[in-house]
Amino acid sequence: MKWSAKEHLVFAAPLAGAGASSPVILGRDLYLTEYLAVGVDPKRAGRPASVERYILCLDADTGEERWRTEVGTDEKSPALNGFIAKHGYTSSTPISDGQRVFAYFGHVGLSAVESDGTVIGTKPLGNKLTQLGCWSSPISYGSTIILNASVEGEGLVALDSDGNEVWSHPVAKASAAAPVLVQTAEGTEELVLSGPDEIVGLNPETGEQLWRADGIKETVYTSPVAQDGVIYIAGGKEGTVLAIRAGGKGDVTYSHRVWKCKESPEYASPVWHDGRLFLVGQDGRVTALVSETGQLAGQRQLPDATVFASPLIADGRLYVVTREKGVFVLSADEKLEILAQNRIAGDNTPFNASPAVIGSRIYLRSNKALYCFSEEN
C-alpha cells in the first residue's frame, strides 16, 4: 500500500503531546497516550519541571478528538536525554475491556479511565526510575490485566479492573518485554515472559511458574511471539533468537528448545507469517528466518533507517516503521522486496510506534499527529 500526505489520506489528527504508544481501536473509539514535558525543549537534553501524561480518545472514522484526560503528573521523571529522549515517557500501549481504558506509565503506575474519559485512578506498581523509560504494555486475560512491572520493581502482576491484585510473580532480573499468552498443543494457555538470562512460563490464572528456560543475555526489550505452540524469542546485544515449545514442566532449556540462532532485532519484536519469522534490527536490517528450522531465508537492508517500532503483517505485506525515513512496505517472503517507501511531507518528528490495521485502514502515529490511510480513499 502506498500513501503520502495527500495520497490515500483519510485524516491527519494533530496531537498536543508526543509518544511512542500504538493506537488501539475498539469499534469507533481509538485510544492513545501522550505526554508533555514541562519546561524542557524536546530537541535538547534536560530534566523537565514535570511530566504530564494523558489518555485520549479519537473517533476512529474521522480523527475528531472525543476526550483527552490527564491521568498522571509527576516531578520525578528521568531527564529527557539519552535513550529516553528518543522515545519519551509514554511508550506503553493502552488496552480496553470495552468499559474502561488502562495505560501503564512506569513508576507513575497503571492508570484507568472510564470509556467517557472519567478518571478512575492510578495504581502504583513500583517506584524505581530508569533511564530506559517504561516499555512494557499490559495485556488482558479473562477479567484480569497482566503487566510486567519488573523494571519498576513489582515483578509480573495480575490485577482486576478495580486495580486489586489477583496474583504476583517475582522476576529475578528486570525485563522491558511484554508477556504473551501461548496456546499449548494440549489446548491449555500459558503466560510467557522473556527476561535477562531466563524465560518463564506461568499459569495465567494463578501466576504459578510451570517451567523455565535459559534466556537471552542483557536487558530484553522485545516481546515473544507464538505460533502453533512454539514461542519465538529474540533480542539482546549478543543477537540471539530462540524457538521453544510451550507446555513443559521444570527446566526445559534443552528438552523443549526447537532451535537457536544468531540475530538481533534489539527493540522491535518479531512477527510470524506463513512459515517465516521476520526480525527488524535497529539499523534497519530486515531478516526472514524459516520458523521451523531457524535457517536464514532472506535479508534486506533498509537505507539509512533506524527502527524502534515492531513490524506489522497486513494483507501479506510487511510494514516497517522507521523513525525518520518513513514506512517501508516489503513482500512478506524470502525476497523481502521493497514495494513502497511512504513518507509524510511536513512531518519531521520521530515515528516510534507500531501501526494498527483495521479492515482497509492503517493508523500511524508520530510525535506530531495520528494519521489514517486507506486504499479505498
Side-chain angles (χ1 to χ4, degrees):
M1 177 179 176
K2 295 182 179 181
W3 68 73
S4 68
K6 297 180 179 179
E7 185 180 13
H8 295 303
L9 179 66
V10 179
F11 64 76
L15 299 175
S21 60
S22 297
V24 173
I25 300 106
L26 189 63
R28 287 192 60 181
D29 293 328
L30 185 150
Y31 301 111
L32 204 62
T33 64
E34 64 182 14
Y35 74 90
L36 292 174
V38 179
V40 63
D41 185 340
K43 296 181 180 180
R44 302 178 64 182
R47 183 175 296 279
S50 64
V51 176
E52 300 172 0
R53 295 168 175 84
Y54 298 85
I55 300 175
L56 59 155
C57 178
L58 307 179
D59 187 305
D61 289 342
T62 66
E64 179 184 358
E65 184 177 300
R66 291 181 171 172
W67 50 259
R68 180 173 182 263
T69 301
E70 184 176 351
V71 289
T73 300
D74 78 297
E75 301 174 355
K76 297 181 179 179
S77 290
L80 192 65
N81 57 25
F83 203 72
I84 282 189
K86 295 180 179 180
H87 68 89
Y89 300 100
T90 53
S91 298
S92 178
T93 296
I95 60 172
S96 173
D97 62 4
Q99 297 179 326
R100 296 178 174 182
V101 185
F102 305 90
Y104 189 49
F105 298 109
H107 68 280
V108 174
L110 179 72
S111 295
V113 299
E114 300 285 3
S115 58
D116 63 358
T118 303
V119 176
I120 298 170
T122 296
K123 169 82 171 183
L125 293 170
N127 56 13
K128 291 182 181 178
L129 299 178
T130 170
Q131 200 54 47
L132 297 174
C134 171
W135 283 70
S136 183
S137 299
I139 65 171
S140 61
Y141 175 76
S143 60
T144 60
I145 303 151
I146 301 176
L147 180 64
N148 172 24
S150 62
V151 170
E152 291 72 36
E154 292 298 316
L156 198 58
V157 296
L159 308 172
D160 64 21
S161 59
D162 292 321
N164 301 309
E165 184 178 297
V166 177
W167 57 257
S168 64
H169 183 85
V171 177
K173 292 185 179 180
S175 164
V180 64
L181 290 164
V182 182
Q183 192 88 18
T184 70
E186 293 74 26
T188 60
E189 273 193 304
E190 295 178 345
L191 180 73
V192 177
L193 177 68
S194 175
D197 301 330
E198 186 175 60
I199 305 156
V200 294
L202 310 178
N203 181 336
E205 293 276 358
T206 64
E208 173 195 4
Q209 183 169 314
L210 304 173
W211 56 264
R212 54 94 47 206
D214 291 349
I216 294 169
K217 305 296 181 183
E218 307 294 338
T219 301
V220 177
Y221 303 95
T222 57
S223 300
V225 63
Q227 182 70 32
D228 299 328
V230 177
I231 309 146
Y232 301 96
I233 294 160
K237 291 183 179 180
E238 292 184 359
T240 303
V241 188
L242 293 169
I244 300 174
R245 286 196 316 275
K249 298 292 182 183
D251 192 327
V252 301
T253 299
Y254 300 106
S255 63
H256 281 58
R257 179 182 294 175
V258 181
W259 52 259
K260 178 181 180 179
C261 72
K262 288 289 184 181
E263 273 299 333
S264 182
E266 286 101 17
Y267 305 116
S269 299
V271 64
W272 186 96
H273 174 70
D274 195 21
R276 299 285 186 266
L277 188 69
F278 296 93
L279 312 168
V280 183
Q282 183 186 1
D283 61 358
R285 182 175 64 176
V286 183
T287 300
L289 301 177
V290 179
S291 60
E292 187 175 348
T293 64
Q295 292 178 318
L296 181 67
Q299 207 158 53
R300 172 81 61 178
Q301 179 64 53
L302 302 181
D304 303 319
T306 301
V307 179
F308 284 177
S310 297
L312 171 78
I313 295 285
D315 197 23
R317 294 171 287 198
L318 180 69
Y319 291 78
V320 180
V321 179
T322 72
R323 279 172 53 81
E324 298 170 341
K325 300 297 181 180
V327 179
F328 286 86
V329 184
L330 298 88
S331 60
D333 54 26
E334 64 277 0
K335 295 180 181 179
L336 295 171
E337 178 185 358
I338 297 178
L339 306 175
Q341 181 182 5
N342 301 318
R343 307 186 72 169
I344 303 172
D347 191 341
N348 297 317
T349 64
F351 286 72
N352 286 322
S354 299
V357 171
I358 298 292
S360 64
R361 291 188 171 196
I362 186 166
Y363 296 84
L364 177 70
R365 71 92 55 91
S366 69
N367 278 353
K368 179 180 180 180
L370 174 79
Y371 301 94
C372 176
F373 301 96
S374 174
E375 288 183 321
E376 297 179 356
N377 193 57

